[in-house]
Amino acid sequence: MIGLISATAAGAAARDRLAAAWPDRTRVYEGPAGEAVRAAFAECDRLVCFLATGATVRLLAPLLGDKAADPGVVCVDEGGRFAVSLVGGHGGGANELAYEVAELLGAEPVVTTATDAVGLAGLDTLGLPVEGAVAAVSRALLDGEPVALEAESAWPLPPVPFAEQGAYTVRLTDRDVQAGPQEVLLRPPSLVVGVGASKGAPVEEVLGLIGEALREAGLSVRSVAELATVDAKSEEPGIVAAAERLGVPLVTYPADELAAVSVPNPSDAPLAAVGTPSVAEAAALRRGGELLVPKRKSAARPAMATCAVVRRPGRGRLAVVGLGPGARDLLTPRAAAELRRASVLVGLDQYVDQIRDLIRPGTLVLESGLGAEEERARTAVAQARKGHAVALIGSGDAGVYAMASPALAEASDDIDVIGVPGVTAALAAGAILGAPLGHDHVSISLSDLHTPWEVIERRVRAAAEADIVVTFYNPRSRGRDWQLPKALAVLAEHREPGTPVGVVRNASRPDESARLTTLAGLDPATVDMMTVVTVGNTATRDIAGRMVTPRGYRWQHAPEGAR
């Protein structure tokens, strides 16, 4: 919950804007500012104070304890011009909140955390529990000193400029070891604890067994990703409470699924009780991994709990990112976040140039030229299989005549794939032209490099006969100058010569150009590969210089008040 505190009418107005925008995330604290800050500090995860920074600092000073536990605080000035991350930038989430508040209020975010200021991913922002000399190792990274990464298993980390060797070290490990004086430990969520329990098993017995199993195996409890059990135990109080106290999800599986898992220590007792010869081992192994701790029972007499521990390998992460048509403000926030998260970036060289300023230090950039689409897809998937966080970029939407299709054809279920949508060329061009896509529409590429012309022509003819608005991608190049005239001729068999046609080149880019012509008036020689051509249907009209396709055919004839 985000606590909102203000002391003046101007501050209250901005406060109320946040409260209205985030009704489920915020709580307004009324009354004197000092009392409100103290109450919110004790009850909320983060605070936004619409107060002067000096006043906020004085109110916060006696409340501050441990930066790992204190809430993050953002301070907004009376004029609503700046959103300042004041306390708890990383651990408390104030940096992220400052950006969110600034975007909503139209303010400027002010973030002074050193790593953020120079574009480095902070060691405490990598999404993993962190221990050790975080400040010292972060300072070494900022000063350009070599910091080595010792990864005991592959994990899709965000980019950090690690060196092969160095006096400072970041170690990725799920083992129960202590950090050295110049070392940071990152704890990957690699351990799955399978749990079985008799009815009424106390939570203390379940937790004690888990803790003992991890200690004796030399494993860190901070790397436990989940508890797993059979569906029949999904509401067993001792297991549910154990997951809650560990702060991890409880995952359950049907008995028949667990019965199909090969385990070293099956037993007749769980088979009779819940329908599977193994609960703890089978649940831990259900999604694969290495069995580190075979089934063991709790020390109580009679024993009421069992557990087993499995290490799952890290899965690589492939984000297929659409960059939009070219304008920076049409690059979605989600796409920008994925670019910052990726430790490996794969893309066409001209698209990499487009977003090079967003790439964080330490990112491996693999770029290539036109015509290497399948090679880029294979490269991106191969990098993800090595355990990296990969971003494969394409223009527009990555799923529309771009990189998602070849990448997903190459990928299997051994990596995680995330699709990040982008604004397509058809949508960007449509917004410039007016509303040409107001009714049914189709996009057709006229490039016959991968699709035989006979197939393309059949699709154009089907769209013509069905009276569907058509957007042509890849309409004409120096080596392909006859396909567009042929496609227009097919459409002309079913549409009037005066049918509106919109032509947009370099949509959203500085040299953007657009014009509205007709099916008979379009000169194909004026079109190139950077152009999108949209041909209307029989209902499309030129209204005040804008290309408009009505939402329905009846719309044109409906009474004025019914529209």
Side-chain angles (χ1 to χ4, degrees):
M1 187 63 64
I2 302 171
L4 306 180
I5 302 102
S6 63
T8 66
R15 176 203 68 191
D16 292 344
R17 287 175 61 191
L18 283 189
W22 300 336
D24 298 328
R25 300 176 60 194
T26 57
R27 181 186 303 162
V28 173
Y29 285 80
E30 305 279 5
E35 295 178 10
V37 167
R38 284 192 293 273
F41 195 91
E43 298 169 358
C44 296
D45 300 313
R46 292 177 289 176
L47 280 67
V48 180
C49 297
F50 296 87
L51 306 166
T53 53
T56 306
V57 167
R58 292 181 184 280
L59 293 173
L60 289 173
L63 306 176
L64 297 176
D66 183 352
K67 75 173 187 175
D70 289 342
V73 180
V74 171
C75 192
V76 180
D77 64 289
E78 286 287 295
R81 295 174 301 166
F82 303 102
V84 182
S85 174
L86 193 65
V87 172
H90 286 164
N95 290 354
E96 179 184 354
L97 182 59
Y99 286 111
E100 290 187 86
V101 170
E103 182 177 1
L104 197 149
L105 298 180
E108 182 74 21
V110 179
V111 174
T112 58
T113 310
T115 49
D116 293 83
V118 298
L120 280 175
L123 296 176
D124 51 355
T125 67
L126 300 183
L128 302 179
V130 58
E131 304 170 20
V134 177
V137 176
S138 296
R139 173 53 58 190
L141 285 167
L142 287 166
D143 291 343
E145 296 186 46
V147 176
L149 173 66
E150 294 182 3
E152 297 179 4
S153 61
W155 207 265
L157 294 175
V160 178
F162 291 121
E164 300 236 346
Q165 295 182 333
Y168 296 86
T169 305
V170 172
R171 194 182 344 171
L172 182 77
T173 180
D174 58 18
R175 294 188 297 114
D176 187 17
V177 294
Q178 297 297 312
Q182 294 180 308
E183 184 177 54
V184 163
L185 302 180
L186 293 178
R187 300 298 192 183
S190 55
L191 304 179
V192 178
V193 179
V195 181
S198 303
K199 186 175 181 179
V203 61
E204 290 78 11
E205 183 172 343
V206 176
L207 283 174
L209 173 62
I210 293 171
E212 181 181 87
L214 293 171
R215 278 192 303 276
E216 290 187 8
L219 300 170
S220 172
V221 69
R222 301 192 76 187
S223 280
V224 174
E226 62 190 44
L227 297 192
T229 191
V230 67
D231 279 351
K233 297 296 179 179
S234 63
E235 296 182 2
E236 182 63 42
I239 295 177
V240 172
E244 290 175 351
R245 290 199 199 175
L246 291 170
V248 299
L250 175 63
V251 179
T252 66
Y253 300 101
D256 58 344
E257 288 188 16
L258 297 186
V261 178
S262 177
V263 298
N265 300 293
S267 172
D268 292 335
L271 180 61
V274 293
T276 172
S278 172
V279 173
E281 287 181 340
L285 286 166
R286 173 62 183 81
R287 290 169 54 198
E290 176 189 3
L291 184 63
L292 302 180
V293 179
K295 181 184 74 174
R296 59 185 296 164
K297 296 181 180 180
S298 54
R301 293 291 179 267
M304 300 185 72
T306 60
C307 83
V309 183
V310 163
R311 175 186 287 138
R312 285 186 191 155
R315 287 171 61 87
R317 187 177 191 277
L318 174 61
V320 189
V321 181
L323 301 180
R328 177 55 60 84
D329 60 352
L330 292 182
L331 175 75
T332 68
R334 186 180 299 181
E338 287 293 345
L339 296 177
R340 290 192 294 270
R341 192 197 189 289
S343 59
V344 179
L345 182 78
V346 182
L348 179 67
D349 46 15
Q350 64 191 57
Y351 297 152
V352 172
D353 288 340
Q354 197 174 304
I355 46 86
R356 201 175 291 275
D357 61 303
L358 297 178
I359 302 172
R360 276 180 156 167
T363 305
L364 173 63
V365 179
L366 303 174
E367 51 190 307
S368 53
L370 285 167
E373 288 79 13
E374 292 181 355
E375 178 190 343
R376 283 195 291 277
R378 286 192 293 269
T379 297
V381 171
Q383 288 291 326
R385 285 184 174 139
K386 292 179 180 178
H388 298 306
V390 182
L392 175 62
I393 61 173
S395 67
D397 182 283
V400 180
Y401 302 122
M403 294 306 302
S405 179
L408 269 62
E410 190 73 25
S412 55
D413 63 359
D414 58 346
I415 61 173
D416 295 324
V417 179
I418 297 91
V420 183
V423 178
T424 69
L427 295 179
I432 294 164
L433 294 169
L437 309 182
H439 204 288
D440 296 336
H441 55 274
V442 63
S443 296
I444 299 177
S445 171
L446 293 184
S447 172
D448 55 1
L449 293 177
H450 300 287
T451 306
W453 172 254
E454 293 76 16
V455 175
I456 297 172
E457 182 175 351
R458 188 166 68 245
R459 291 170 179 172
V460 174
R461 191 170 299 280
E465 293 173 352
D467 197 29
I468 296 176
V469 175
V470 181
T471 296
F472 288 125
Y473 280 70
N474 307 314
R476 183 176 180 273
S477 67
R478 286 182 216 151
R480 291 187 303 99
D481 59 0
W482 58 268
Q483 288 90 342
L484 179 59
K486 178 63 175 174
L488 295 174
V490 171
L491 291 173
E493 295 174 13
H494 300 270
R495 300 182 193 182
E496 296 295 327
T499 300
V501 175
V503 181
V504 180
R505 187 177 189 278
N506 283 333
S508 86
R509 300 188 183 189
D511 55 347
E512 167 191 297
S513 64
R515 68 184 188 279
L516 190 57
T517 182
T518 64
L519 190 54
L522 175 61
D523 179 4
T526 63
V527 173
D528 62 13
M529 285 288 286
M530 305 304 293
T531 305
V532 172
V533 177
T534 301
V535 181
N537 64 12
T538 57
T540 305
R541 298 290 181 264
D542 178 345
I543 301 176
R546 301 181 184 93
M547 188 176 178
V548 180
T549 302
R551 286 167 51 195
Y553 289 85
R554 295 187 185 89
W555 180 85
Q556 299 174 88
H557 310 293
E560 190 69 30
R563 295 183 184 177

